Amino acid sequence: MEYVLKTQSLSKAYKTTKALDNLTMSVEKGAIYGFVGRNGAGKTTLIRLICGLQIPTGGSFQLYGCPNDSREIHRARRRMGAVVETPAIYLSMTAEENLKQQYQILGLPSYDGLKDLLALVRLENTGKKKAKDFSLGMRQRLGIAVALAGDPDFLILDEPANGLDPQGIVEIRELILRLNRERQITVLISSHILDELSRLATHYGFIDGGRMVRELSAAELEAACRKCLRLTVSDTRPLTAALDKMGLEYAVRSDTEADIYDAPSVTELTLALHNAGCEVKNIHEHDESLESYYMNLVGGDAE
């Protein structure tokens, strides 16, 4: 497995406050990695460390296999683009002027590809309109275009949908998917807008209090949130025997709780369990969303 980013017990402290606390995570090449956590959980701190805007107080990370304390880390960062907190754009300039400025900063020999980049983010027809007159969604797309100016294959986006209207959110979502599918760009998205993230991510990392609570793939999350009948019974041993006899797919959660993934007749099910000597105390349909999964994982509000 090839990884674009790996962290090992990465920590960042500000006097007595730990923004990151022994964070270990892995971002696979080609993934859209949803970095999930409430405000203040440490998401932006991680991004600032990866981008070289701050220095870790403990642990380490690797970018394309290059250690963060290596002299070559700046070369690895050239393969990365980022929009941290707010888009890095000049409001008094047009979209094209912003990109030309970034090309000059990067020392690129010509403006080749600039028009294509504007078209990619759907800003090719903005003409002489200044960025200060753009909508929030247009500014966000311009910020992504600036981050893409050096042709990176790893893109980091810090709360890209924050403050956008529904149309702006859709535009950002479609852009991220195009970048990932058509240009094979690995994307790390920091977000607390879970419903939107669930439409994008191939992998997830759930962070709380600066610590990684859980990492899993979208397929693993879908299995964890799979629609089912959840039963609370007196004893799952006779329950499993009855379910095996009925040929139903299930998963045992505890000595008294199990999930059934098929759609049996409730009458037949309760009769079979009665005959098996298993008392049914509660039965309900369970269909967990990403938001409720996160809340159950870390407790409190998902914001």
Side-chain angles (χ1 to χ4, degrees), residues 17-32:
T17 303
K18 282 190 175 181
L20 287 182
D21 189 6
N22 292 301
L23 183 79
T24 296
M25 65 183 289
S26 303
V27 179
E28 293 182 19
K29 182 179 180 180
I32 299 179

Side-chain angles (χ1 to χ4, degrees), residues 162-232:
N162 218 13
L164 301 186
D165 60 21
Q167 180 61 33
I169 290 173
V170 170
E171 290 169 349
I172 292 295
R173 180 204 312 158
E174 291 177 347
L175 175 58
I176 292 169
L177 289 173
R178 286 203 309 276
L179 293 173
N180 179 253
R181 294 169 181 174
E182 298 173 13
R183 297 198 173 197
Q184 287 74 56
I185 294 177
T186 304
V187 186
L188 171 65
I189 306 175
S190 156
S191 183
H192 65 275
I193 305 176
L194 304 186
D195 179 63
E196 179 58 28
L197 197 58
S198 67
R199 303 169 190 265
L200 287 167
T202 62
H203 296 74
Y204 295 89
F206 295 92
I207 183 176
D208 191 53
R211 288 179 172 269
M212 182 62 72
V213 181
R214 187 166 300 169
E215 277 190 302
L216 72 171
S217 68
E220 291 170 328
L221 179 64
E222 184 178 351
C225 298
R226 191 175 170 189
K227 190 173 183 177
C228 64
L229 282 179
R230 180 158 292 177
L231 278 72
T232 303

Side-chain angles (χ1 to χ4, degrees), residues 228-265:
C228 64
L229 282 179
R230 180 158 292 177
L231 278 72
T232 303
V233 296
S234 56
D235 188 348
T236 53
R237 286 173 295 182
L239 170 68
T240 56
L243 296 179
D244 286 337
K245 191 173 181 180
M246 296 176 71
L248 299 177
E249 183 185 358
Y250 64 89
V252 175
R253 294 174 54 85
S254 69
D255 291 340
T256 59
E257 195 172 55
D259 293 337
I260 302 175
Y261 296 111
D262 294 296
S265 163

Side-chain angles (χ1 to χ4, degrees), residues 10 50 56 74 78 97-98 101-102 113-114 125 127 140 146 152 190 214-215 223 239 242 271 282-283 298:
L10 191 63
I50 300 305
H74 68 284
R78 288 179 184 174
E97 288 168 346
N98 266 281
Q101 182 72 20
Q102 184 65 11
L114 189 150
N125 296 320
Q140 193 68 268
V146 169
S190 156
R214 187 166 300 169
E215 277 190 302
L239 170 68
L271 181 59
N282 184 275
I283 181 170
V298 304

Side-chain angles (χ1 to χ4, degrees), residues 34-86:
F35 195 38
V36 183
R38 70 189 85 205
N39 290 332
K43 304 188 301 297
T44 299
T45 298
L46 172 80
I47 291 172
R48 294 179 70 84
L49 293 179
I50 300 305
C51 292
L53 300 175
Q54 293 181 348
I55 300 173
T57 50
S60 63
F61 67 86
Q62 295 181 355
L63 199 57
Y64 295 100
C66 181
N68 65 288
D69 56 357
S70 167
R71 292 183 178 180
E72 300 301 312
I73 189 64
H74 68 284
R75 294 184 182 272
R77 287 198 174 106
R78 288 179 184 174
R79 300 178 61 182
M80 181 179 73
V83 180
V84 185
E85 297 182 293
T86 57

Side-chain angles (χ1 to χ4, degrees), residues 121-140:
V121 298
R122 295 178 179 170
L123 293 175
E124 70 274 29
N125 296 320
T126 54
K128 295 182 179 180
K129 188 175 184 178
K130 305 296 185 184
K132 65 182 179 181
D133 298 318
F134 285 4
S135 68
L136 286 177
M138 292 170 68
R139 291 184 191 180
Q140 193 68 268

